[in-house]
Amino acid sequence: MRFRHPDGSTVHLAYCTNVHPAETLDGVLAQLRDHCEPVRRRLGRDRLGIGLWLARDAARSLTTDPASLRALRAELDRRGLEVVTLNGFPYEGFGADEVKYRVYQPDWTHPDRLAHTTDLARLLAALLPEDVTEGSVSTLPLAWRTPFDAEAAATARTALTTLAGRLDALEELTGRSIRIGLEPEPGCIVETVADAVAALTTAPSPNPGPAPTPRIGVCLDTCHLATSFEDPRTALDSLAAAGIPVPKAQLSAALHAEHPHLPEVRAALAAFAEPRFLHQTRTRTAAGLRGTDDLPEALATSDHHAATAPGLPDATPWRAHFHVPLHAPPAPPLSSTLPVLQDTLALLVGGPHPRTHHLEVETYTWQALPPESRPRTRARLADGIAAELTLARDLLTDLGLKELP
């Protein structure tokens, strides 16, 4: 979906296909037929943007076989779909029964991460619509937080510098500009926007100094932003002050519990504690931000007086990294952080000029919702995704953007 900003530029809205896990090229083609095109038809649009997720095997198939890449491009066109952004965070296995910590491998210290992201950038340059010259790829925020020493930091930074050079060469060759966005996520080396600013503006000793390239920026995920209790304006102001671009933003909402000490609230939260994904949980206390790697750990005890006890202090609100559907917040006594998304979106595209031109709805947890909330059929899932995109569209038009045909 495309929107005209009051400044005349185009803002793209897509939804991320990592909600339909597929490891192979055949699986990707099936996604387009079984899921993406039905969502487009529900929205009554001739054209729908998708944030394509290409796992390692699918990406390699496309990279090594130009005919397959041409066939994918033709299939996108035939089904009324377009791609301006890729989700390069999960490498493989995102549809496994248990993903958890595996989603952070390989990290940016491993050459496979650089090779895969390079492949994605080259593929995106070939998949962009004819009238679009800028693409974006979101990626892992360097690594999970441990272990990650100075040597690892230097290795990751060297990989990103190498990638930036390859992106420069790609634009020179194709005329298409591809930018990469590190996606801050709770528990990672780059957990917050402040961490991203530090990572992207300070080189490791003995060569301190600003990052040399605008090719690498931040993918701002509003679920992650909210989970870490970051203020949207402060976050965006810090990026602007540092000259760090926002190649894309992911529109998502976290799980919010205002009174986690109450038994009924804890019971409601327990329904979201599931075995597939990590649901990092945070609370803001007088002593600072406290957190656990997963929701079951947070629920391990209700003793908020014992600082060394397992679990999470429960005298202040909790937020959990669980992408809840934008249009369907959980029932009371829980809620979602949709207001954080709205505030962030207003700052991103509600001003005189957009801070980003690529927006992506990323709710990949539909099948991880409590059983009574899960879509039981493809049709129900398509209905839900279409409803999320409709809400996002309404938010954009309320900010003065005009939907284009």
Side-chain angles (χ1 to χ4, degrees):
M1 301 167 75
R2 299 188 184 192
F3 297 81
R4 181 73 67 206
H5 190 273
D7 75 347
S9 64
T10 300
V11 173
H12 295 264
L13 173 66
Y15 89 89
C16 186
T17 64
N18 63 354
V19 66
H20 317 302
E23 300 292 316
T24 65
L25 180 55
D26 285 345
V28 171
L29 295 173
Q31 287 177 350
L32 305 185
R33 179 194 67 227
D34 296 338
H35 299 287
C36 302
E37 185 177 10
V39 170
R40 177 183 64 76
R41 293 187 181 280
R42 279 163 172 74
L43 291 165
R45 310 302 300 164
D46 294 332
R47 174 173 54 191
L48 175 67
I50 57 172
L52 199 59
W53 175 57
L54 296 172
R56 178 198 63 174
D57 288 349
R60 286 182 180 175
S61 296
L62 293 166
T63 302
T64 57
D65 184 1
S68 293
L69 182 56
R70 290 192 296 270
L72 174 58
R73 175 65 184 269
E75 188 71 356
L76 289 166
D77 292 341
R78 186 167 78 86
R79 298 195 181 279
L81 306 169
E82 66 178 14
V83 177
V84 303
T85 188
L86 299 179
N87 187 333
F89 194 134
Y91 181 74
E92 62 184 348
F94 201 62
D97 291 338
E98 183 178 330
V99 179
K100 298 290 184 180
Y101 294 95
R102 290 192 296 168
V103 76
Y104 306 108
Q105 295 296 330
D107 62 32
W108 273 101
T109 67
H110 197 289
D112 284 351
R113 177 61 67 171
L114 172 60
H116 179 60
T117 309
T118 301
D119 285 346
L120 293 180
R122 291 170 178 163
L123 293 172
L124 181 56
L127 292 173
L128 287 176
E130 294 295 337
D131 61 341
V132 175
T133 59
E134 294 186 359
S136 60
V137 180
S138 50
T139 189
L140 181 78
L142 298 186
W144 186 250
R145 67 179 182 273
T146 55
F148 200 81
D149 57 17
E151 182 180 356
T155 300
R157 186 178 181 86
T158 297
L160 290 173
T161 301
T162 300
L163 176 64
R166 292 176 180 177
L167 297 178
D168 287 341
L170 182 63
E171 182 174 13
E172 196 170 318
L173 179 66
T174 66
R176 267 78 188 281
S177 174
I178 308 298
R179 294 192 297 174
I180 307 299
L182 300 182
E183 184 182 330
E185 176 168 313
C188 293
I189 292 299
V190 174
E191 171 160 345
T192 65
V193 168
D195 294 334
V197 170
L200 294 173
T201 58
T202 305
S205 179
N207 299 306
T213 175
R215 294 284 183 189
I216 314 296
V218 166
C219 169
L220 202 63
D221 184 301
T222 57
C223 170
H224 303 171
L225 190 79
T227 300
S228 294
F229 288 87
E230 290 195 83
D231 173 66
R233 183 176 295 279
T234 301
L236 284 166
D237 284 352
S238 68
L239 291 172
I244 296 172
V246 183
K248 69 185 283 188
Q250 289 174 326
L251 307 183
S252 52
L255 191 63
H256 181 91
E258 186 68 18
H259 302 293
H261 65 286
L262 297 177
E264 61 269 28
V265 175
R266 301 179 77 84
L269 283 169
F272 286 84
E274 52 84 35
R276 187 170 173 187
F277 300 110
L278 277 186
H279 301 295
Q280 302 93 315
T281 306
R282 300 288 185 266
T283 188
R284 188 166 49 187
T285 72
L289 201 65
R290 294 278 303 278
T292 60
D293 285 354
D294 211 349
L295 186 53
E297 298 170 31
L299 292 167
T301 180
S302 61
D303 182 3
H304 58 274
H305 299 292
T308 60
L312 199 61
D314 58 11
T316 50
W318 287 5
R319 288 177 179 175
H321 173 216
F322 195 118
H323 291 223
V324 295
L326 303 187
H327 69 292
L334 303 179
S335 63
S336 82
T337 60
L338 182 63
V340 177
L341 183 160
Q342 293 172 294
D343 291 346
T344 307
L345 190 62
L347 294 167
L348 284 169
V349 301
H353 303 287
R355 293 288 307 274
T356 185
H357 290 88
H358 294 172
L359 303 172
E360 179 183 71
V361 172
E362 196 210 14
T363 305
Y364 59 83
T365 45
W366 280 95
Q367 300 303 337
L369 291 168
E372 67 276 8
S373 301
R374 295 174 193 168
R376 296 297 183 185
T377 64
R378 289 178 184 169
R380 291 289 181 87
L381 178 59
D383 290 343
I385 293 169
E388 287 195 291
L389 286 166
T390 297
L391 183 147
R393 176 183 64 191
D394 292 346
L395 292 177
L396 289 171
T397 56
D398 287 348
L399 290 171
L401 284 73
K402 180 181 178 181
E403 187 177 5
L404 298 175

